Amino acid sequence: MKLPRPALAGTAGLFLLSLAAGCSDAPPPYDDATAAWRDFDGEKAMRHVETIVALGPRPPGSETLEKSRVLIEEHLRPLGWQVRRQTFTGKTPQGPMEFTNLRARFAPQDSDALWKESTRVLFCSHYDTKLYRDLVFVGANDPGSSMGALMEAARVLAARPALARHIELIFFDGEEAFGPNITPADGLYGSREYGRKILRPLPPEKKPRWGVLLDMVGDRDLRVTLPNDTPPDLMRLTLESADALGHRDKFGVSRMSIIDDHVPLNVEGVPTVDIIDFEYAYWHTPSDTIDKLSAESLGIVGQTALHLIERRLVRE
Ligand SMILES: [Zn+2]
């Protein structure tokens, strides 16, 4: 569509033009030599996982989960991320329970307006561990690994403000079910609340365009199993990014769909890929400990996710 030529002249016109430039939403062009993924350090991500695991079990409502919130906030804020808590009460099989999602935006200052602006990409992990009363479950891979990867990605992105401001980081509470398995009424408490309260009210043009979820990404024997119902575009782009970085042999497609925090985001119209390695022998056992993980695996997933986000998702 051709627009009529604006009847502006002189300084007023220039002023309006410069305002428009200041509000430009265009992300910076991708430059492979200085791309974010190159700075993602699997060792640094691993240090975060160690600190998190040392807190012990971190089920919803626990003091140790509050400590992990503070840990995340104290890492993000000095880097320039604004962090807000989305706290709510969920109905669980064990009665009402308080949950808190952590949302982070890259901006010079916090304001209510900031949180009403849309971002292009959601980059997420859950941060609660599954509750066991009869055993000690520290969740090094589930969810320590993806928390550590997201915290390291926050450092890398903070050095690239023009990119970072297009991304919202989210740490979901209450991913794990209180019963043995996630059901429509139990589990995904944080992502369902985020979907209902944050995404659903947004008109389609204001919704984030994509989401990337990380879960169980630190297994030494890394074999990513993308759920088979991943939105097709995202499936292709994720595999292309893995290929571009020489990690294609670590990425496969599961024969199953997987129920995880990406499901409520997909339901609310934000196509989201779950980068998960579900072939993990220690899943939901007391043996999900730090010795099962490697910095190399964290590096492979962190770099691939950043390549995907910067190279493809922020610009499309
Ligand atoms: Zn789990």
Side-chain angles (χ1 to χ4, degrees):
M1 189 173 67
K2 213 169 166 195
L3 292 169
R5 217 173 142 195
L8 291 168
T11 49
L14 280 175
F15 176 68
L16 282 177
L17 277 176
S18 64
L19 255 187
C23 296
S24 162
D25 200 31
Y30 178 79
D31 176 358
D32 198 58
T34 58
W37 66 268
R38 293 188 180 278
D39 287 349
F40 186 98
D41 184 343
E43 294 289 348
K44 286 200 165 77
M46 191 65 152
R47 299 292 89 78
H48 291 305
V49 184
E50 286 165 2
T51 310
I52 291 160
V53 167
L55 293 171
R58 306 169 305 281
S62 64
E63 221 171 278
T64 43
L65 196 63
E66 171 59 22
K67 283 186 184 158
S68 30
R69 276 191 284 277
V70 172
L71 203 74
I72 296 165
E73 288 168 339
E74 288 183 349
H75 173 66
L76 293 181
R77 287 198 171 120
L79 292 170
W81 294 89
Q82 306 297 335
V83 187
R84 281 212 181 174
R85 294 182 172 203
Q86 183 194 14
T87 298
F88 63 97
T89 302
K91 249 203 297 182
T92 82
Q94 314 212 338
M97 173 78 71
E98 192 177 275
F99 297 99
T100 300
N101 295 328
L102 290 181
R103 305 174 62 196
R105 292 285 190 92
F106 199 82
Q109 58 202 29
D110 198 3
S111 70
D112 288 344
L114 172 68
W115 301 91
K116 286 182 190 131
E117 271 170 38
S118 57
T119 53
R120 296 191 184 211
V121 178
L122 306 178
F123 194 14
C124 349
S125 161
H126 77 96
Y127 75 97
D128 59 306
T129 55
K130 190 166 174 69
L131 172 69
Y132 291 97
R133 297 191 188 281
D134 45 351
L135 53 86
V136 177
F137 177 73
V138 297
N141 198 27
D142 180 16
S145 62
S146 51
M147 293 171 67
L150 208 54
M151 289 167 79
E152 166 59 359
R155 179 191 70 84
V156 172
L157 290 167
R160 295 163 175 81
L163 173 65
R165 70 191 189 85
H166 295 291
I167 298 163
E168 177 168 319
L169 307 177
I170 316 172
F171 294 83
F172 290 121
D173 196 356
E175 186 266 353
E176 301 289 2
F178 291 87
N181 292 304
I182 295 175
T183 68
D186 186 19
L188 312 184
Y189 293 97
S191 52
R192 283 191 282 130
E193 181 75 5
Y194 184 89
R196 259 195 312 264
K197 294 284 166 59
I198 309 293
L199 297 178
R200 194 173 298 173
L202 294 173
E205 71 278 8
K206 285 266 186 187
K207 282 191 209 284
R209 298 179 194 181
W210 308 98
V212 176
L213 172 70
L214 306 183
D215 196 5
M216 301 170 66
V217 293
D219 187 358
R220 282 176 177 280
D221 175 24
L222 183 70
R223 180 178 286 268
V224 171
T225 49
L226 300 175
N228 72 358
D229 57 348
T230 303
D233 284 0
L234 269 180
M235 176 87 86
R236 178 177 55 79
L237 294 174
T238 305
L239 294 175
E240 282 177 9
S241 281
D243 196 28
L245 304 191
H247 304 317
R248 183 64 182 82
D249 59 322
K250 307 284 188 197
F251 281 69
V253 178
S254 172
R255 275 173 293 132
M256 310 175 297
S257 60
I258 293 171
I259 300 180
D260 203 346
D261 287 321
H262 63 300
V263 172
L265 307 183
N266 276 302
V267 165
E268 299 300 339
V270 180
T272 301
V273 59
D274 185 11
I275 301 183
I276 183 170
D277 168 5
F278 205 55
E279 290 182 7
Y280 182 59
Y282 313 103
W283 177 62
H284 287 182
T285 75
S287 304
D288 180 5
T289 44
I290 197 94
D291 53 301
K292 310 306 184 310
L293 313 189
S294 76
E296 192 193 348
S297 297
L298 293 170
I300 289 170
V301 172
Q303 290 176 6
T304 303
L306 282 176
H307 182 276
L308 170 69
I309 290 171
E310 184 179 17
R311 176 85 182 84
R312 309 305 294 268
L313 303 188
V314 163
R315 275 174 200 77
E316 300 203 350

